[in-house]
Amino acid sequence: MRVTERHSSVARAFAAVVCPFSPSSVALGCATCHVVSAHSSGTPGYPAPTMSAIVNGHGGPSNGVTASGSEDGYANHNGPSTSAGAPVANGYAQPPSLYQVHNEDIVNHLFQSGFQTGNYADTILHVHATAYRLHALILSRSPYLAHLMSTSPQVGSPHVIYVNLEHEPEVTDEGFHHALAYLYSGAALANIRPENARGVLAAACLLGRMDDLCNYAYEICRQSISLETLPSWLEFVDTAPAPSDGSSTPTTPIMDPHQHPRTAVFGAYAQRLREDIFNFLVVTLPNLVNYGGQATPSTPSPDGSSQHSDAGRETLIQVFARVPFDLFKAAIESPTFQLGSVHSRFKFAKDAIELRKQGVARGTGAEETVVLAFGGNTTQSGGVLVTRKLRRRQLWKVNS
């Protein structure tokens, strides 16, 4: 193993630790620490990754990173960044300290040479149709991957592990890719968008010990809830089991304890997202569609008088006609859902239920109804109660 004088003793020690190959099989460059591995044979019993295989999220050699730059959306980190995290004193930005520059330089090197190009890899991670050339020391930051590496049989080197996401449909390939990248560097945060944030959150929850990434992805998810994205979030809520305090009879079928719900991977974040969707439905959405506002048009009635037509109300009814029942019931009965008088709330629920019979409630074998609440503390239910009961099967009498 030959190292130029530009490399420090720290670099030599690091290369000696992470390089799983013999000195005769590796040649070290000098100017940019670029590593070229001559070790190309696969693990006995496993096929060696080919040049056309998808490696580290890319197709092609060098884990998909070409000489012109990165193809996965990450910036090409060749040097430390001095713009972020610089302390400010008396209104002037202070230059980063030597240890900050040094630490950033190491992280950038690990991310570019370790994750983006897969240099000095000692572990091959397979997930779906993608193979990642990674490093066990970095992967061990994840309890999930650390357990997988310690329990997977090792035959030769590099170590080969397989991640099975068959029962985790919320963990997307893109989300898993960014979560792996975050193990190496926080540069992965720059690629999290509303379109992939849920997959990133699921992957981060699965890998574990990624609280910062989870909170970051969760916040993007929360902010992405809108009228346009609501259908996909309602589907998410429909697959998430509703919490129960044991005081009421479940209105949804009891889940098989051996069945793995698709949202279980989110842990506590599933309930937080559920609450965010509920808050959007009962607080944000009525204001968004101007429910009961004065700006809505008026429609002339047949007798010539002007009849107020609340377009916001119609939009709201169309939305609640597609909301899962447990969320629908909680919203209608919530005093936070400002629908005007008790009579207005009752009429809104009745109109929505009538429309639900043609949609989400159709074919469920259950009948939804709304009744006025009398006696007791009706303020907790908004003055109305929504119920659902199974329809009685029609009995046929057979005459002998």
Side-chain angles (χ1 to χ4, degrees):
M1 182 176 293
R2 182 169 54 86
V3 183
T4 63
E5 295 181 356
R6 291 189 61 184
H7 292 285
S8 66
S9 59
V10 175
R12 289 196 297 270
F14 179 77
V17 173
V18 301
C19 178
F21 310 125
S22 63
S24 61
S25 65
V26 175
L28 285 178
C30 57
T32 60
C33 296
H34 180 67
V35 183
V36 181
S37 172
H39 185 91
S40 60
S41 61
T43 303
Y46 297 99
T50 62
M51 300 297 279
S52 61
I54 299 178
V55 184
N56 284 26
H58 309 281
S62 299
N63 292 356
V65 180
T66 63
S68 61
S70 171
E71 291 184 356
D72 62 356
Y74 294 109
N76 193 3
H77 295 266
N78 288 322
S81 172
T82 59
S83 60
V88 178
N90 293 341
Y92 295 94
Q94 301 298 311
S97 64
L98 180 61
Y99 83 89
Q100 287 177 314
V101 175
H102 179 68
N103 289 347
E104 288 186 13
D105 190 43
I106 291 177
V107 171
N108 291 338
H109 178 73
L110 286 175
F111 183 72
Q112 182 185 356
S113 296
F115 180 75
Q116 289 187 301
T117 59
N119 292 332
Y120 298 120
D122 59 5
T123 302
I124 308 298
L125 185 151
H126 291 269
V127 55
H128 291 158
T130 305
Y132 289 90
R133 300 176 66 241
L134 302 172
H135 310 82
L137 183 63
I138 304 297
L139 297 183
S140 64
R141 295 185 60 198
S142 159
Y144 176 87
L145 295 178
H147 175 76
L148 192 62
M149 290 188 294
S150 64
T151 56
S152 299
Q154 183 173 1
V155 181
S157 181
H159 193 181
V160 179
I161 59 176
Y162 293 84
V163 177
N164 184 8
L165 298 180
E166 180 182 353
H167 301 294
E168 300 295 350
E170 290 288 342
V171 181
T172 62
D173 289 341
E174 184 180 6
F176 192 80
H177 176 86
H178 295 317
L180 284 179
Y182 187 78
L183 289 174
Y184 285 77
S185 170
L189 298 178
N191 286 271
I192 303 178
R193 308 178 306 277
E195 296 79 16
N196 61 28
R198 199 164 97 192
V200 173
L201 176 58
C205 290
L206 175 70
L207 296 183
R209 205 178 294 165
M210 288 187 171
D211 293 343
D212 291 340
L213 179 60
C214 287
N215 289 330
Y216 187 87
Y218 159 74
E219 187 61 26
I220 295 181
C221 286
R222 186 187 66 81
Q223 296 178 6
S224 73
I225 302 174
S226 65
L227 190 59
E228 291 74 21
T229 62
L230 190 58
S232 65
W233 284 114
L234 290 180
E235 181 182 354
F236 172 84
V237 170
D238 203 19
T239 58
S244 174
D245 57 4
S247 60
S248 59
T249 304
T251 57
T252 55
I254 298 177
M255 183 172 293
D256 184 349
H258 301 289
Q259 182 181 356
H260 182 74
R262 62 179 295 164
T263 57
V265 68
F266 292 98
Y269 287 100
Q271 177 58 25
R272 291 174 65 179
L273 286 170
R274 184 185 180 89
E275 293 171 355
D276 293 331
I277 297 168
F278 178 81
N279 184 74
F280 176 83
L281 287 171
V282 302
V283 178
T284 306
L285 187 57
N287 293 326
L288 188 65
V289 300
N290 194 27
Y291 174 83
Q294 298 300 318
T296 53
S298 297
T299 303
S301 60
D303 59 4
S305 62
S306 180
Q307 182 179 5
H308 187 69
S309 175
D310 191 346
R313 182 181 187 276
E314 295 303 318
T315 302
L316 212 57
I317 288 178
Q318 291 290 336
V319 170
F320 274 85
R322 294 166 174 80
V323 171
F325 176 77
D326 57 325
L327 206 60
F328 174 76
K329 173 181 171 64
I332 294 297
E333 296 179 358
S334 172
T336 308
F337 195 10
Q338 299 296 324
L339 293 173
S341 64
V342 174
H343 178 74
S344 297
R345 184 183 299 269
F346 176 80
K347 184 68 167 59
F348 178 90
K350 188 175 181 181
D351 292 344
I353 288 176
E354 191 63 31
L355 195 58
R356 289 170 63 84
K357 293 178 181 179
Q358 307 171 21
V360 295
R362 184 177 59 184
T364 60
E367 182 179 3
E368 300 176 1
T369 57
V370 57
V371 296
L372 291 171
F374 294 99
N377 190 3
T378 59
T379 59
Q380 294 183 355
S381 63
V384 301
L385 294 174
V386 178
T387 62
R388 183 171 68 171
K389 60 182 180 179
L390 294 176
R391 295 189 181 96
R392 293 182 178 180
R393 294 182 178 181
Q394 187 174 4
L395 301 179
W396 297 91
K397 183 178 180 180
V398 179
N399 295 324
S400 56

